[in-house]
Amino acid sequence: MQSAAIALRSKGGRIGFVPTMGYLHEGHMSLIEAAREKAGKVVVSIFVNPIQFGPNEDYERYPHDFDKDRSACEKADVDCVFYPAGDEMYPRNFSTFINEETYSKRLCGISRPNHFRGVLTVVGKLFNIVRPDFAVFGQKDAQQVAVIRKMVDDLHFPVEIIVVPTVREEDGLAMSSRNHYLSRHQREDAAVISQALFRAKEMVGSGIVNTDRVEAEVSNILQTKRRVRVIYVSIVDLRTMEARREIVPGESLLAVAAWVDEIRLIDNILL
Ligand code: AMP
C-alpha cells in the first residue's frame, strides 16, 4: 500500500483517504464523495479493527460484504481499496499503541475503556501506510473526530482532517453498519434517539441554555421506549468532549449513547 500510494501520488493530485470498517452505507458514501471532490486520488480502507472492540462486544459478528463494498467503491470512482488481513495489521509480536489521555476518557471512553486506544492505533498506522494529504471522517462519531484531531495535533501527523455531516434514514435514525442488527421492533424504538436530539435542538432554538434542562428532557424522551436504555446523555464542548453547564451555540454538542436491547447505538447533534 505504501508503494501504491507513492505511485498514486506521482500520477498527480492530493491523496484523500476514507478509513472504514466496511459494510458501506450512504454515510460512508458521502465521505467518499467529499474526498472525491477535493482529491486527485481517493483511497478507502476496509478493516474491522479488532483492538477497538471490548471483550464482550460485537467484533466476531460485525457485518461484512467485501464484494458489495468493492463494487460500491468502483462505482464511486475510488482509486484504491486497502483491505488488509488482521494478522498483517497486527502480527503476533505487535506491541505499540497510541493512547490519548484526556478527550478519549470521556463519554464512550467510560463504558469502552480501550476503544479509542484501538481507534488511534489503527488510524495512526493507516496514516503511515496510506500517507494521505487529508482524511475524511463522519460527524456521526464526534468523539472519534475530537480524539483523532488531538492525536494529529499532538503527534504532528501531516494530515488534514475533514468532517462530513451525519447521513440519516428518512425517520432520522443515523445510518450505521450496526443498524443491520436491529429487528423491526428495535428499529422502531431506535428512532426515538434522533427524535430526542431534534427536540433538544428545538429547545435550544427557543432560547434555553441550561444543559441540565435539555439533558433531562432528552433522557425522558428516550425512556418512553421500552427497549431503550440510556448509557449517557451529555452536552459537551465539541472540541474536547468536556461537559458544559451552559450551551454555547455552535460550540456545544449533545451526545447520546444508548442500548436498544443488546445493540449499542450512538448519535449526536450540534446545538
Ligand atoms: P465505520 O465503518 O462505522 O467505522 O465508519 C467509518 C467512517 O464513516 C467514520 O468516519 C464514521 O464517522 C463515518 N460514518 C459512519 N456512519 C455515518 C453516517 N451516518 N453519516 C456520516 N458518516 C458516517
Side-chain angles (χ1 to χ4, degrees), residues 18-28 30-31 47 52 62 136-142 144-145 164-168 173-178:
V18 182
T20 80
M21 298 208 298
Y23 212 68
L24 303 180
H25 51 65
E26 284 174 43
H28 297 114
S30 81
L31 270 53
F47 180 63
Q52 73 186 64
Y62 197 83
V136 189
F137 294 88
Q139 180 61 28
K140 158 81 174 21
D141 298 276
Q144 172 168 284
V145 168
V164 168
T166 302
V167 177
R168 298 179 179 281
L173 181 71
M175 287 194 183
S176 164
S177 308
R178 289 193 166 99

Side-chain angles (χ1 to χ4, degrees), residues 127-193:
F127 282 0
N128 284 331
I129 295 167
V130 176
R131 320 265 180 104
D133 296 283
F134 67 88
V136 189
F137 294 88
Q139 180 61 28
K140 158 81 174 21
D141 298 276
Q143 186 173 16
Q144 172 168 284
V145 168
V147 171
I148 288 170
R149 281 194 191 285
K150 189 68 165 62
M151 172 186 79
V152 163
D153 279 356
D154 284 348
L155 300 184
H156 316 284
F157 278 94
V159 180
E160 184 192 348
I161 303 300
I162 291 171
V163 181
V164 168
T166 302
V167 177
R168 298 179 179 281
E169 302 285 356
E170 226 162 81
D171 65 353
L173 181 71
M175 287 194 183
S176 164
S177 308
R178 289 193 166 99
N179 293 349
H180 170 75
Y181 300 141
L182 297 167
S183 70
R184 190 165 61 83
H185 293 299
Q186 290 167 337
R187 173 70 188 72
E188 281 166 17
D189 280 9
V192 80
I193 298 172

Side-chain angles (χ1 to χ4, degrees), residues 4-269:
I6 290 165
L8 281 176
R9 178 168 287 117
S10 72
K11 289 184 194 142
R14 307 206 306 154
I15 295 186
F17 176 46
V18 182
T20 80
M21 298 208 298
Y23 212 68
L24 303 180
H25 51 65
E26 284 174 43
H28 297 114
M29 299 322 287
S30 81
L31 270 53
I32 293 172
E33 279 161 31
R36 187 69 282 167
E37 273 172 27
K38 278 179 65 94
K41 302 289 174 193
V42 176
V43 178
V44 172
S45 65
I46 296 177
F47 180 63
V48 182
N49 176 34
I51 67 165
Q52 73 186 64
F53 290 79
N56 298 313
E57 295 182 356
D58 55 343
Y59 175 65
E60 295 294 343
R61 64 185 190 115
Y62 197 83
H64 52 88
D65 187 341
F66 180 67
D67 290 336
K68 191 158 166 267
D69 289 350
R70 180 168 48 189
S71 36
C73 287
E74 262 170 31
K75 251 174 99 183
D77 200 19
V78 168
D79 296 280
C80 179
V81 177
F82 179 52
Y83 179 56
D87 58 357
E88 282 180 289
M89 291 295 273
Y90 301 109
R92 232 183 322 171
N93 60 350
F94 186 87
S95 60
T96 306
F97 298 86
I98 303 179
N99 190 29
E100 192 285 326
E101 301 201 340
T102 309
Y103 304 175
S104 71
K105 304 303 168 193
R106 300 169 175 153
L107 304 181
C108 284
I110 296 168
S111 45
R112 305 185 76 191
N114 281 322
H115 173 65
F116 290 110
R117 172 183 181 262
V119 169
L120 290 183
T121 302
V122 82
V123 170
K125 283 167 68 69
L126 289 167
F127 282 0
N128 284 331
I129 295 167
V130 176
R131 320 265 180 104
D133 296 283
F134 67 88
V136 189
F137 294 88
Q139 180 61 28
K140 158 81 174 21
D141 298 276
Q143 186 173 16
Q144 172 168 284
V145 168
V147 171
I148 288 170
R149 281 194 191 285
K150 189 68 165 62
M151 172 186 79
V152 163
D153 279 356
D154 284 348
L155 300 184
H156 316 284
F157 278 94
V159 180
E160 184 192 348
I161 303 300
I162 291 171
V163 181
V164 168
T166 302
V167 177
R168 298 179 179 281
E169 302 285 356
E170 226 162 81
D171 65 353
L173 181 71
M175 287 194 183
S176 164
S177 308
R178 289 193 166 99
N179 293 349
H180 170 75
Y181 300 141
L182 297 167
S183 70
R184 190 165 61 83
H185 293 299
Q186 290 167 337
R187 173 70 188 72
E188 281 166 17
D189 280 9
V192 80
I193 298 172
S194 59
Q195 286 158 10
L197 296 181
F198 298 148
R199 169 75 189 122
K201 197 167 164 104
E202 235 173 62
M203 290 174 79
V204 176
S206 74
I208 297 169
V209 294
N210 181 285
T211 53
D212 289 345
R213 260 182 83 183
V214 177
E215 288 171 358
E217 173 75 3
V218 168
S219 298
N220 285 338
I221 294 172
L222 294 174
Q223 277 160 26
T224 60
K225 296 295 176 191
R226 186 168 63 80
R227 297 179 180 80
V228 177
R229 274 173 303 133
V230 171
I231 302 167
Y232 62 75
V233 169
S234 191
I235 293 174
V236 295
D237 179 87
L238 173 67
R239 200 175 44 85
T240 64
M241 301 291 122
E242 188 171 22
R244 275 261 164 98
R245 297 191 82 128
E246 271 205 358
I247 293 159
V248 182
E251 287 179 22
S252 294
L253 182 89
L254 167 61
V256 169
W259 293 104
V260 178
D261 292 334
E262 75 293 351
I263 302 148
R264 190 183 191 282
L265 298 179
I266 56 170
D267 200 352
N268 67 79
I269 198 163

